[in-house]
Amino acid sequence: MAPTLKKLPEDCLREEMIAIIQRYNGENYVRLSINEDVHIVENITSEVAGLDCILRVHRPHYTTLVPLHGEGSGVLDAFHQGFKERLGGQYCFMERLGLQEFRVDTLSPRETGFGSADQVGVTILVQVENRERIAFRSNSFSLLSATLGCSLQMFEYFINGERTIKKLLFLLEDYRGRNRGDLQEKAMMDLAKLVSCSYYREPTA
């Protein structure tokens, strides 16, 4: 498979959506990371893996530590299952998220021989509600680190996207009440873009 290391339209779409998120919710942007110690047990015959780690949820003024434990078909699925178990009920995307493509590329591969020091790039492509695809990427000398880093980037995007959608819905009501048609029109356009690049669904009564 040929490397896909240059910027793609899927990267540009992600950057456009993150710019909207930062515009309305930059002061409350949530960032995710995990602790250095990730414990994995994997049965290479059944391909069932178990994963334990500590998720760090960084908000502007404090950080929350969330223990994750997941089991699934491989390490990536185990990580996603652990995330879903602890945080899935808070966000729409966790019930509907589907990876369309997962790929690993060697960055600046050696011409001859096999070198464990080669850096790898992991790309995850996700198809969202408008059938557009969004790319998430992470590079590392560790395949595990790149894979989990790519997943964290994806989760971070959808979490902040849904938080910003909720804020935009609130702002639209405020703009209507103040007869600010100029602000309302721009907010509606940005809201439509974000919703189409998410899995958000308004709660039903």
Side-chain angles (χ1 to χ4, degrees), residues 22 60 63 134 190:
Q22 292 281 7
T63 297
I134 298 180
D190 288 337

Side-chain angles (χ1 to χ4, degrees), residues 42-157:
E42 185 170 19
N43 185 313
I44 60 174
T45 301
S46 66
E47 298 183 344
V48 172
L51 179 145
D52 291 276
C53 66
I54 303 295
L55 175 71
R56 293 193 289 252
V57 183
H58 306 278
R59 292 181 170 86
H61 303 296
Y62 64 96
T63 297
T64 303
L65 303 181
V66 182
L68 295 186
H69 170 76
E71 295 183 359
S73 301
V75 173
L76 183 61
D77 186 43
F79 184 54
H80 287 194
Q81 292 302 324
F83 198 98
K84 181 179 179 180
E85 179 70 22
R86 292 305 302 266
L87 299 174
Q90 302 177 37
Y91 301 101
C92 301
F93 76 90
M94 286 306 304
E95 292 297 329
R96 310 173 65 224
L97 179 65
L99 276 59
Q100 190 174 66
E101 186 175 342
F102 173 86
R103 59 190 300 156
V104 179
D105 295 302
T106 302
L107 308 182
S108 301
R110 304 181 182 195
E111 292 183 3
T112 61
F114 176 82
S116 60
D118 290 341
Q119 194 176 33
V120 296
V122 169
T123 302
I124 293 177
L125 289 173
V126 177
Q127 187 176 65
V128 288
E129 291 297 85
N130 63 354
R131 304 191 69 79
E132 292 273 12
R133 301 200 309 174
I134 298 180
F136 302 94
R137 298 176 184 268
S138 180
N139 302 335
S140 176
F141 290 103
S142 162
L143 177 57
L144 175 63
S145 178
T147 299
L148 298 183
C150 202
S151 295
L152 285 173
Q153 185 187 129
M154 178 178 63
F155 292 148
E156 190 176 288
Y157 166 80

